[in-house]
Amino acid sequence: MGNLWFGGNIYTMQHEGDAVEAVYTELEKIVAVGTYEKLYHAYYDSIENEINLQGKTMIPGFVDSHLHILMHGEKILRLDLSQLKSAEEVKEAVRNRTANLSEGEWLIGEGWNENQWEDPVIISRAELDEICPHNPLMLTRVCRHAILANSNAIELSNIKEDTPNPQGGIIVRDENNAITGYFLDTAQELIKKSLPSVSTNYLQKVIEIAVDDLVSKGIVGGHSEDLSYYGSFDKTYQAFINAIDGVNKKFKAHLLVHHEVLEDMLKQKLGWLDGTNYIELGAVKIFADGAIGGRTAWLTEDYKDDPGNEGVAILSVEDLEKVIRKARSHQLPVAVHAIGDRAAEEVLKIIKRNPLENGRRDRLIHGQILNERALDLLKELPVAVDIQPLFVTSDFPWAIDRLGEDRLKLAYAWKTMLDHNVHCAGSSDAPIEEVSPLLGIQAAILRKASYDGKVYSPEEALSVYEAVHLYTHGSAYAINQEEERGRLLDGFAADFTILEEDIFQVEPENINAIEIAMTVIDGEIVYEKKPYK
């Protein structure tokens, strides 16, 4: 028995403008698409429910190709600093939270961003100590490549004035060589290792909170990287299986495997796409560099506003190649975080030297700043790029200060990549950016900065179809599932995002205001704004 969906604008995403009158589904699959009359008569004896969309718009279900599900859930639970507009507002929010802390309890805040402040000064350790003198405190920057910590947290972590910088990280010090409380990239781990361990039950709860929020945004699945941050691969992986069991919760989570827990996965005799119907394991995740905000993205030339600084290589080129070769020894693709052009170029050169012969696709996560050599390699290699359209709304105009005008030609260059047949997938990198695909789609089309409302590099703007394609077919292509997900065609997954308005007809400025009517996973409505008659 199955369901007949009809009565709305149903876009298959096979080609631009390709639409059908109806979709017939059984269990988790689309059986057929076509006219209402044809499907009604062909499957009359099997139709259990007729679902009238009442003029709404059905498209393939949105999939966020790069996010952190657990961190997104924790952002919902923790002190959210992402919308605050000054250091004083951040300090006041922290001060208010200290009142309810018990002895020894950590105060953890998420998402501060000095580039949103009129005075973009980094809050000092002394200021944090004044606000929170008796409890360890850690405030994570929006990019998650930097944290602030107070003296209590630093002492608890046994960090001394003479503690050296780790490979790929910086313990920021002042002119007197005193630790300021600002830790960049791998130096964050010196603080994070002292955080109290969490239980599988806690992780399960956080995943459930995150999934409830994701499906309310029309998202049917996400490619997430969480498995190395919460104590052990086994505990975190089991929490995902428990939380998204296909009964109480449905959501298609594709989990990247950080290279530091690769051995843990292999010990369980797990590999590419192993898991359950809703949890599957993916590529080996590697960090090649940091982020632009903290000036740790690895560039070919110095930062314009910080001469002498080319950013940070998280791993040496030799070690990066060793990690990729280890993945290759197990026939696994890699998904490498590379924001700077030097990072992208080095990663792509290593991939070229170490090709994967089984057709599984490598991924460049971010690909935010390219150079001509990196772009030429992307044209040549079977590498998908996970892009984050919302970065253009939050990174400008300050990104120009970091990079200079000359490097903007191949920065956030999504249209250029698509025009050169580079396959791109759309994502939020949540909790770094808001998780809504509609916001991401709008950003890819408008390229309008939140700070000043100006449009940056309009020649790189995408069409509505291209932008929607990122979050549907693009995300499926990145994980070799473009023949079963991301389109509304016979035999494809019955995963739908149903919108109150036609995304291809509304003005782009209004896309973010479109409401999610329903989210459907495997033919089952998992989120509904209001009951249908």
Side-chain angles (χ1 to χ4, degrees), residues 69-70 72-73 76 205-215:
I69 291 172
L70 268 164
H72 177 61
I76 295 171
K205 175 187 174 184
V206 172
I207 293 166
E208 290 169 352
I209 289 169
V211 167
D212 286 345
D213 185 61
L214 293 169
V215 297

Side-chain angles (χ1 to χ4, degrees), residues 8 26 113 138 156 173 246 302 337 400 407 477 481 484 509:
E26 289 184 357
N113 183 2
M138 183 181 78
L156 191 63
R173 294 173 164 87
D302 292 355
H337 167 112
I400 302 173
R407 276 184 285 203
Y477 182 91
Q481 294 181 7
E484 54 194 280
E509 291 81 1

Side-chain angles (χ1 to χ4, degrees), residues 463-510:
S463 70
V464 179
Y465 176 77
E466 288 170 330
V468 173
H469 194 270
L470 295 174
Y471 292 87
T472 52
H473 179 266
S475 295
Y477 182 91
I479 55 174
N480 293 82
Q481 294 181 7
E482 71 273 18
E483 297 300 325
E484 54 194 280
R485 297 175 65 184
R487 289 174 173 161
L488 303 187
L489 299 174
D490 297 4
F492 276 57
D495 298 338
F496 315 135
T497 300
I498 299 172
L499 306 170
E500 288 287 347
E501 299 175 72
D502 189 335
I503 193 169
F504 297 104
Q505 297 299 322
V506 303
E507 290 298 320
E509 291 81 1
N510 297 326

Side-chain angles (χ1 to χ4, degrees), residues 327-388:
R328 297 301 198 238
S329 72
H330 298 285
Q331 297 299 302
L332 292 171
V334 294
V336 188
H337 167 112
I339 286 183
D341 63 329
R342 177 72 185 277
E345 182 181 346
E346 294 294 346
V347 167
L348 293 168
K349 287 194 294 189
I350 293 171
I351 287 174
K352 183 175 181 179
R353 290 195 296 268
N354 299 273
L356 193 59
E357 305 293 348
N358 57 15
R360 297 168 184 171
R361 296 188 181 108
D362 296 313
R363 300 162 73 169
L364 195 68
I365 296 175
H366 306 304
Q368 208 163 319
I369 305 159
L370 302 174
N371 55 42
E372 293 290 351
R373 295 179 299 279
L375 180 59
D376 285 343
L377 286 164
L378 277 174
K379 296 177 198 175
E380 172 188 347
L381 296 169
V383 174
V385 184
D386 293 318
I387 68 171
Q388 296 74 39

